[in-house]
């Protein structure tokens, strides 16, 4: 899975009013299928990291087709395990998105991410997605 930050607050002429199973979209722009996460929450008191979770609509992943020019950059999410990691979690038998409901946004993955997360005052204008 790849995670990215996308600009939000823009209309989507490709999917507004269109059922998601319809993919006859005529466009000259490259498109990406994304499953949204919630906006950044206040930083966790213990770690100082922002927390996000998969966004849903009617108990299903909230998904959309967007123009790729809305993608700002990649991002790195760390599962929030709790007191200890579930020993059943492994790459072979489970997708972390199926079990984990909360994720930390890792600002330490590279210098650009660190500066962006620590010094950008309005992080709510960016929302992680898969």
């Amino acid at each position: 899975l790849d995670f990215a930050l996308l600009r939000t607050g823009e209309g989507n002429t490709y999917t507004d009013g269109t059922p998601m199973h319809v993919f006859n979209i005529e466009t000259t722009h490259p498109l990406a299928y994304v499953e949204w996460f919630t906006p950044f929450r206040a930083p966790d008191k213990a770690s100082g990291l922002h927390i996000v979770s998969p966004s849903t609509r009617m108990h299903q992943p909230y998904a959309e087709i967007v123009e790729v020019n809305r993608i700002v950059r990649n991002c790195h999410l760390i599962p929030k395990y709790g007191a200890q990691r579930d020993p059943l979690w492994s790459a072979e038998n489970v997708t972390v998105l199926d079990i984990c409901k909360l994720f930390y946004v890792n600002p330490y993955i590279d210098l650009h991410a660190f500066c962006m997360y620590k010094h950008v005052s309005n992080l709510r204008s960016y929302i992680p997605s898969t």
Side-chain angles (χ1 to χ4, degrees):
L1 293 174
D2 293 320
F3 299 96
L5 295 176
L6 276 71
R7 287 191 320 273
T8 61
E10 299 173 10
N12 188 337
T13 58
Y14 301 110
T15 59
D16 285 348
T18 304
M20 287 306 296
H21 66 276
V22 175
F23 288 101
N24 284 343
I25 299 172
E26 293 183 26
T27 179
T28 57
H29 305 287
L31 302 174
Y33 171 82
V34 299
E35 292 182 7
W36 292 103
F37 280 72
T38 57
F40 290 103
R41 297 182 187 160
D44 179 68
K45 290 180 182 178
S47 67
L49 301 178
H50 289 278
I51 298 174
V52 295
S53 61
S55 183
T56 60
R57 298 290 185 271
M58 297 176 18
H59 308 289
Q60 298 297 317
Y62 178 42
E64 190 173 4
I65 298 170
V66 301
E67 292 183 6
V68 296
N69 64 2
R70 288 181 57 191
I71 298 173
V72 175
R73 63 156 293 134
N74 67 318
C75 70
H76 182 240
L77 301 182
I78 304 167
K80 185 177 181 189
Y81 294 109
Q84 58 185 337
R85 184 184 65 83
D86 185 334
L88 298 176
W89 290 20
S90 72
E92 294 80 31
N93 66 2
V94 72
T95 300
V96 69
L97 286 173
D98 293 336
I99 292 180
C100 187
K101 301 302 177 208
L102 296 173
F103 296 85
Y104 293 112
V105 179
N106 181 4
Y108 304 108
I109 196 72
D110 60 48
L111 180 60
H112 180 263
F114 178 80
C115 293
M116 184 175 161
Y117 296 131
K118 295 298 180 183
H119 300 293
V120 174
S121 60
N122 188 9
L123 280 177
R124 290 203 171 266
S125 65
Y126 300 100
I127 298 180
S129 67
T130 59

